[in-house]
Amino acid sequence: MDWFIGILALGIFAFFLGKFIKHKSLYPFMPFRYDFRKRRDSFLKAMDLMNAIDAKIIIETGTSREGLRGAKSNGAATIVFGKWAKENNAFVHSVDISEESCRNAQQEVDNQNLNKVVRIHHSDSLRFLVEFNDQVDLLYLDSYDYSSDVEVQKKSQEHHLLEFKAIEDKLHENSIVLIDDCDLPNGGKGKLVIAYMVKKGWRIVIDAYQVLLVREDFAFDKV
């Protein structure tokens, strides 16, 4: 009986050890309990670059509809960048066409006391980006949900390319672009926009689930 209890205890230990190893938090920036998994490293690198350029204006397309509850599933970028903005005198504009998503994101912004540094815009992202007048330091593309449907995939990819083109003239020499959901079948959300950007003189810093890009002459000596 003792050997059975020992094996059971070892199995339980191995299970929780595996979960701990897979857990990728942004601690101490964010509480340890939030697991950012496949986005953790690219978020950290993006924030390093944002620190280097003293970023002030952040745009996110596709708001965090699940708040921090969605840290592992969708990244909770509205709150991540909102917290960074609060600590660095910056501002986040998050835009989404879904009224429900905006309402849920706003609730989490309220809960995290980020109202002074985050504004949720209920709007079509293309219209919002075309009408935006300020220079953008970080552009985070994560709208138009991807799926297993090939037609939806194509529309998502085309939409993200159009988003970039809509704001392209507001990006400066040290702007940073982060694109979510790229390591997915058929190239993910970033397939078309990344190819376009590379042709226009951007280079890939991180090529993973999220793709992080800067211009070829980005001043990495500041990082």
Side-chain angles (χ1 to χ4, degrees), residues 6 9 15-17 20 27-28 30 33 39 43 60 64 76 110 131 136 155 159 174 187 190 192-193 213 218 222:
F15 172 77
F16 283 104
L17 178 62
F20 179 80
Y27 183 83
M30 301 287 286
R33 66 182 179 274
R39 297 177 177 88
F43 274 161
E60 173 193 39
S64 297
D110 294 343
E131 295 175 353
V136 180
K155 289 179 180 178
H159 183 78
N174 284 324
L192 297 182
V193 65
L213 303 99
F218 184 89
K222 296 181 179 180

Side-chain angles (χ1 to χ4, degrees), residues 145-191:
D145 289 341
Y146 209 71
S147 80
S148 59
D149 186 315
V150 174
E151 288 304 311
V152 172
Q153 293 174 2
K154 290 179 180 179
K155 289 179 180 178
S156 179
Q157 292 165 351
E158 290 166 357
H159 183 78
H160 285 85
L161 175 58
L162 290 174
E163 284 185 332
F164 180 81
K165 289 182 175 180
I167 198 68
E168 186 175 6
D169 64 344
K170 304 301 190 308
L171 302 175
H172 53 79
E173 65 275 10
N174 284 324
S175 291
I176 303 157
V177 177
L178 184 63
I179 307 168
D180 197 38
D181 298 321
C182 292
D183 188 17
L184 292 173
N186 194 29
K189 292 179 178 180
K191 181 178 180 179

Side-chain angles (χ1 to χ4, degrees), residues 29-215:
F29 176 70
M30 301 287 286
F32 181 81
R33 66 182 179 274
Y34 296 113
D35 183 4
F36 292 88
R37 196 65 65 91
K38 53 198 172 187
R39 297 177 177 88
R40 194 270 303 271
D41 293 345
S42 43
F43 274 161
L44 287 174
K45 185 62 176 179
M47 288 187 284
D48 282 345
L49 298 181
M50 290 158 66
N51 286 327
I53 67 169
D54 192 23
K56 296 302 176 189
I57 299 295
I58 299 162
I59 289 182
E60 173 193 39
T61 65
T63 197
S64 297
R65 56 181 176 260
E66 295 180 290
L68 280 172
R69 295 191 314 277
K72 185 164 66 173
S73 59
N74 62 46
T78 309
I79 307 306
V80 173
F81 293 131
K83 188 173 187 298
W84 186 92
K86 186 175 183 179
E87 295 181 359
N88 291 275
N89 192 32
F91 198 89
V92 178
H93 295 275
S94 182
V95 57
D96 201 296
I97 199 169
S98 165
E99 184 175 359
E100 181 180 2
S101 294
C102 288
R103 183 168 57 251
N104 292 342
Q106 185 62 60
Q107 183 177 7
E108 187 70 1
V109 168
D110 294 343
N111 291 341
Q112 299 297 322
N113 193 27
L114 297 175
N115 287 289
K116 292 183 179 180
V117 295
V118 177
R119 182 178 176 187
I120 307 296
H121 301 263
H122 178 219
S123 172
D124 175 79
S125 62
L126 295 177
R127 181 169 66 248
F128 174 82
L129 294 170
V130 167
E131 295 175 353
F132 195 79
N133 291 319
D134 295 327
Q135 283 197 319
V136 180
D137 298 306
L138 173 74
L139 175 65
Y140 181 62
L141 300 179
D142 185 26
S143 60
Y144 208 120
D145 289 341
Y146 209 71
S147 80
S148 59
D149 186 315
V150 174
E151 288 304 311
V152 172
Q153 293 174 2
K154 290 179 180 179
K155 289 179 180 178
S156 179
Q157 292 165 351
E158 290 166 357
H159 183 78
H160 285 85
L161 175 58
L162 290 174
E163 284 185 332
F164 180 81
K165 289 182 175 180
I167 198 68
E168 186 175 6
D169 64 344
K170 304 301 190 308
L171 302 175
H172 53 79
E173 65 275 10
N174 284 324
S175 291
I176 303 157
V177 177
L178 184 63
I179 307 168
D180 197 38
D181 298 321
C182 292
D183 188 17
L184 292 173
N186 194 29
K189 292 179 178 180
K191 181 178 180 179
L192 297 182
V193 65
I194 293 168
Y196 174 83
M197 291 177 67
V198 170
K199 287 182 179 178
K200 296 288 293 262
W202 293 74
R203 62 167 155 162
I204 296 172
V205 179
I206 290 181
D207 186 0
Y209 190 81
Q210 293 183 321
V211 174
L212 180 65
L213 303 99
V214 297
R215 295 189 190 274

